[in-house]
Each structure stands twice: as C-alpha cells, then as structure tokens.
Amino acid sequence: MSEPVSHLQIALTSLPLCRQLDAEEIDALLRGTREHAFRRGEMLFSKGDPSTGFFSIIRGQIKLALPSPQGGEKVLEIMGPGQSFGEAVMFMEVPYPVFAQALTEGTALHISKAVLFAAMDRDPRLARKLLAGLSMRLHGLIQDVEAYTLQSARQRLVAYLIERAGDAPPLRAEVRLPTSKTVIASRLNLTPETLSRVLHGLAEAGLIEVRGRVIQIPDLPRLASENA
Amino acid sequence: MSEPVSHLQIALTSLPLCRQLDAEEIDALLRGTREHAFRRGEMLFSKGDPSTGFFSIIRGQIKLALPSPQGGEKVLEIMGPGQSFGEAVMFMEVPYPVFAQALTEGTALHISKAVLFAAMDRDPRLARKLLAGLSMRLHGLIQDVEAYTLQSARQRLVAYLIERAGDAPPLRAEVRLPTSKTVIASRLNLTPETLSRVLHGLAEAGLIEVRGRVIQIPDLPRLASENA
DNA sequence: CGTACCTTTGATGTGAATCAAGAGTAGTGG
DNA sequence: CCACTACTCTTGATTCACATCAAAGGTACG
C-alpha cells in the first residue's frame, strides 16, 4: 500500500490541473506520465505532429512558435516551470499547429491523452480545470491579437514590460527578460533591430534603464501612462 | 408528460453542444434559456461586461470585435446561424474582452451559466463538447495570429477567399462575402482602401472576378498557388 | 581562445495606412 | 416615386512605421 513517493508523483501533484485530485487519481495519471529530459534547441514536437498527450515543464524554458515560409519563425509563447501546453490539440483531430522547442536544457512531464481522458470520465473537476485553463489561453491569444493589430511596436513593448513587472509594483520595478532579446522580439512580433531601437528610445526618454537583460523601471505609472 | 414542443426546444436541441443530450437535460437547459431578438447595430454585450451565459445565433449575423483607442474597431469574428460565442468567458473571473454587435436584424439564444454548469455536473459529455469547441476556437485564433504576423495583405485575402470557397471545390468557385467589405477588411486586419486595391489587383491578374459582394474564382488551384 | 550567436547602430526600402475626394448604392421620408 | 441623406466603395497622392540590408562590436560557451 505505502509505496515510496516518487519525484514524479510530487511533480504531478503540484500541477494546477491536478490540485484537489485524490491520491488514486494521481496514481492513475502517473501510469501514463513520462519524464522527458531535453537539451537546449531540442524539438519537443514539430508543427504537423499528431498529439499523444500534453506537456508540463518541470525545469527549463520552452518556446511555442510558428515556422515562417522564409525559414524564420514567430514565437507565440515563452514558457517556464509549472506551465503546461498541448492540452487543446488533444481534443481535436488535427495535428499540432505550432512547434515546441527548448530554449534551455531542462525536464518536462508528458501525460498521455488516454489516461487523462480516463481520469476525466471519473472526475468532472478535471474537465472543469481544463476548461478554465483553455479559457485563459484563449483570453491570452485575444490579447495578443489586440496587441498585434491595434498597438505600435513601442506600445507592445511597454505593455510587455509592465506585465512582466508583476502585480503589486508600487513605483519602481526591475524586470529581467526571460530569454534572449531575439526571442523576445519575435514574441512581440518585432525584428531584433526594432526591439533594440525601441528599448533605446525608451531609455533616452528616461522611462527605463537597460543593462543587458535587466531593465530598470524608475517610474512604473509614468511608463504605463505612455501607452494610453 | 407530453408537453408541446416549443421552437426554443427545437433550436436548443439542434445546437452542436446539445446533440446527444436526452430530453430531460434539454428541458433543464431550457429553463435557463431566453430568446433575444436583436436589431441591426444592437450591442449584445460590450467589452468589460460580466458574463451571465453564452449565446447561440438562430438567425442573422453578429460580429465580435475589439474597440480601438481611436474610436475604430478590429473585427475578430463574423458569425451566423448555428454558431455560438461567449463560452470561454464563463469559465474565468474576467469580463468580456471583446464586444458583440449585430450586423443584421435577427434572433439569438442566451443560455445561462448556472443551468449549463448544473448540466455539466450531470453529463460529462457536455464538458467534452465544450472542450472540443474551445479547442477549435483556440486553433482558429492561432491561425489568425499566423495570418496577421506572417502573411501579407494579399495572402490573407487569398486565404480567406479559399476558405470561404468551401471544402470540395473542383476548379471553379463562387464566393459571396457574408457582409460589407468594410467589415471584411477589418476582419482581415486591412483598411477598406487596401482591401479594394488588393481585390482589384487579383482581378487584374485574372485570378478572380468581382461583382459587388460576389466573387468568381475561375481557377481555384491557381489562386491557391498564389499563396505558397 | 576561437567560433558562433547576440546585440547595436546606420542607411535605405517598402507595404500598407492615411488623407482626400468622387462615384456608386441604399435606405428614409416627404 | 423621387429627392435626401448616409454609407460604402473606389481611386489617387502622400506618408510613415517598421523591415531589410549591412557591418561592426559584444558575449558566451565549447
């Protein structure tokens, strides 16, 4: 009965999706869960691959992106520990519309479609959690579309910095970019050159101070007012 | 026992979401369902409104859009009979991130959050259907982001025409634009001027023939090859 | 410690927006 | 039925935000 608690079990239990599940359900999911260590640059899946389950990041960073016809790419999402992806594709008959590539070395969980679907049939709370998660994802994408279609390069960057500055920032804040400026630029639908120039412009206006990947915001409200 | 079958009942039963539900569940949902007749230009809800349920269009057309700071708008979706919207917002604590405005006169169903949630607890198939629906929506948004960020005005229009041309089009096809070119332009993230020019350009190249809202495509594969 | 990538800066190019104005086209009401 | 008003759509001239091209440091890591 009392088996040793594996680190997989711990990892699985700490997923937002699995919170409130009892030990039996966790164990059931565990049977379809595999740990996957990845190297920097590794493809977790390519655009067009069929879905076999979803992923949850334990350690490291992964980007979701679209390949561009000219060999480039458009980064949709930069994800870190605790975040999961690939849920939606499980519920459709289509292959992945994006690819997932590791930005750093790390590890991820892969939870198989089959065990998840079985667990959903037993516990309706799982479906609820998934619905909530997908809804948030949908909301995020709408905000992205809003940014891409209605805002300028500068506005997108400012919004990104403010979002990254966190929830309860009184006045001053420090933002550390999660990855290279090239990747951030793509995420914001900019070229690296434009990102560099816009950062320079904001610094010149005294709104931020840039030192490598660390950005100081001396007056958050003033930066925010820039966007209205 | 055998009450008269209302037109509401028929409408509800024919929803994709409700397919496979037994009569009792339909009746339960019916108690939280209201019919709403709308006039052209009417706001079904505004951005920032709280969600009380979701909508399904019986007759007429509705657009989902984002207001732009300068008083304009960006159309996200043009929807017609049988399509539903507002599901995702029910599963979050945030208000509508978009507004819904009628493009024509028509009628819609409003199904309350409360009865839907109750029904979900009784029938897990409902949650499955909702998950499938949200996944499709998510997929559509990713395709939109792909179009906005990776494709030119011309490519977006061509893709739109081909999609509208339908599934099994052998060679020749006729597309009828669902609404005014101004709205279509916004949907494709173009100005009306640009849409007009791109249509003209395609016509000049012999790829399409435009007569008002009706567009003839003499050689669908050739138009499609335009986009690679 | 060299090689590959990331970042910055400058010069130039361009796709689509904006501004402007005229020509349909369609509802509205006398 | 016609005049009136209001869009919708088109066409042309111009502008602009951002991309592209080019080249020189900077940084990191094998």
Side-chain angles (χ1 to χ4, degrees):
Chain A
M1 277 305 222
S2 65
E3 295 185 23
V5 177
S6 72
H7 70 290
L8 270 192
Q9 235 163 345
I10 295 170
L12 203 56
T13 309
S14 66
L15 286 191
L17 187 67
C18 298
R19 206 110 35 198
Q20 297 177 345
L21 292 189
D22 51 42
E24 285 166 39
E25 286 297 353
I26 294 286
D27 281 347
L29 285 178
L30 205 55
R31 255 164 252 136
T33 301
R34 295 290 172 268
E35 193 172 15
H36 178 73
F38 52 81
R39 309 241 160 266
R40 181 173 207 266
E42 181 176 334
M43 284 285 191
L44 285 271
F45 54 78
S46 298
K47 174 165 177 171
D49 284 355
S51 163
T52 58
F54 75 99
F55 294 85
S56 179
I57 305 175
I58 304 293
R59 201 170 45 77
Q61 280 182 336
I62 287 171
K63 74 177 175 205
L64 259 37
L66 292 162
S68 95
Q70 304 81 9
E73 63 179 41
K74 159 69 183 103
V75 175
L76 291 172
E77 207 70 69
I78 299 160
M79 286 178 313
Q83 297 189 274
S84 59
F85 56 96
E87 293 96 332
V89 191
M90 293 190 297
F91 301 102
M92 301 184 291
E93 305 106 20
V94 299
Y96 285 111
V98 303
F99 67 85
Q101 187 178 27
L103 290 170
T104 67
E105 160 276 344
T107 59
L109 258 36
H110 179 268
I111 296 96
S112 87
K113 202 196 297 207
V115 299
L116 180 71
F117 277 31
M120 273 177 58
D121 286 339
R122 289 188 299 267
D123 192 334
R125 284 175 304 180
L126 253 179
R128 283 287 186 101
K129 284 269 180 62
L130 281 162
L131 280 166
L134 286 193
S135 296
M136 290 302 296
R137 208 71 49 99
L138 206 60
H139 189 242
L141 268 176
I142 287 174
Q143 291 194 127
D144 286 344
V145 169
E146 182 163 13
Y148 299 144
T149 61
L150 256 26
Q151 292 179 251
S152 66
R154 186 182 177 121
Q155 287 175 313
R156 290 202 295 277
L157 176 56
V158 168
Y160 180 77
L161 290 176
I162 290 169
E163 188 193 320
R164 279 245 128 208
D167 302 313
L171 183 69
R172 188 172 192 79
E174 175 177 304
V175 169
R176 160 167 283 275
L177 299 180
T179 183
S180 77
K181 286 178 187 167
T182 306
V183 175
I184 306 281
S186 177
R187 166 75 248 253
L188 297 174
N189 202 29
L190 303 171
T191 57
E193 292 96 323
T194 299
L195 174 58
S196 178
R197 282 186 249 268
V198 175
L199 277 171
H200 188 92
L202 290 173
E204 209 156 58
L207 292 164
I208 62 173
E209 290 155 34
V210 185
R211 200 182 297 105
R213 287 186 184 176
V214 179
I215 293 170
Q216 295 285 342
I217 306 173
D219 189 342
L220 205 41
R222 194 157 66 91
L223 183 64
S225 73
E226 197 69 5
N227 249 10
Chain B
M1 274 308 222
S2 66
E3 295 184 22
V5 177
S6 72
H7 69 293
L8 270 193
Q9 235 162 345
I10 294 168
L12 203 55
T13 309
S14 65
L15 286 192
L17 187 66
C18 298
R19 204 105 38 194
Q20 296 178 344
L21 291 189
D22 51 42
E24 286 166 39
E25 287 296 353
I26 294 285
D27 281 349
L29 285 177
L30 205 56
R31 258 164 248 135
T33 300
R34 295 289 172 267
E35 192 171 15
H36 178 74
F38 51 81
R39 306 241 162 267
R40 182 176 208 265
E42 180 176 333
M43 284 286 191
L44 285 272
F45 54 78
S46 298
K47 174 167 177 170
D49 284 356
S51 163
T52 58
F54 74 98
F55 295 85
S56 179
I57 305 175
I58 303 292
R59 199 170 46 76
Q61 279 181 336
I62 288 172
K63 74 178 174 203
L64 258 37
L66 292 161
S68 96
Q70 304 82 6
E73 64 179 40
K74 159 70 184 106
V75 175
L76 291 172
E77 208 70 68
I78 300 160
M79 286 177 314
Q83 297 189 271
S84 59
F85 56 97
E87 294 96 333
V89 192
M90 293 191 296
F91 300 103
M92 302 183 291
E93 305 106 21
V94 298
Y96 284 111
V98 304
F99 68 85
Q101 187 178 27
L103 289 170
T104 67
E105 157 277 342
T107 60
L109 256 35
H110 180 268
I111 297 96
S112 88
K113 202 198 295 210
V115 298
L116 181 70
F117 277 31
M120 272 176 58
D121 286 337
R122 289 187 302 266
D123 192 336
R125 283 175 304 181
L126 253 180
R128 283 289 186 97
K129 284 270 180 64
L130 281 162
L131 280 166
L134 287 194
S135 296
M136 289 303 295
R137 209 72 50 100
L138 207 60
H139 189 242
L141 269 175
I142 287 175
Q143 291 195 126
D144 285 344
V145 169
E146 182 164 12
Y148 299 146
T149 63
L150 256 27
Q151 291 178 251
S152 67
R154 186 182 177 119
Q155 287 176 314
R156 290 202 295 278
L157 175 56
V158 167
Y160 179 79
L161 290 176
I162 290 169
E163 189 193 320
R164 278 247 130 209
D167 301 312
L171 184 70
R172 187 171 192 82
E174 175 176 304
V175 170
R176 159 166 287 273
L177 300 180
T179 181
S180 78
K181 287 179 187 167
T182 307
V183 175
I184 305 280
S186 176
R187 166 73 247 257
L188 297 175
N189 202 29
L190 303 171
T191 56
E193 292 96 324
T194 298
L195 175 58
S196 179
R197 282 187 248 268
V198 176
L199 278 171
H200 188 91
L202 290 174
E204 211 156 58
L207 293 163
I208 63 173
E209 289 156 35
V210 185
R211 200 181 296 105
R213 288 186 182 173
V214 178
I215 294 171
Q216 295 285 341
I217 306 174
D219 188 342
L220 205 40
R222 193 156 68 91
L223 182 63
S225 72
E226 196 67 9
N227 248 11

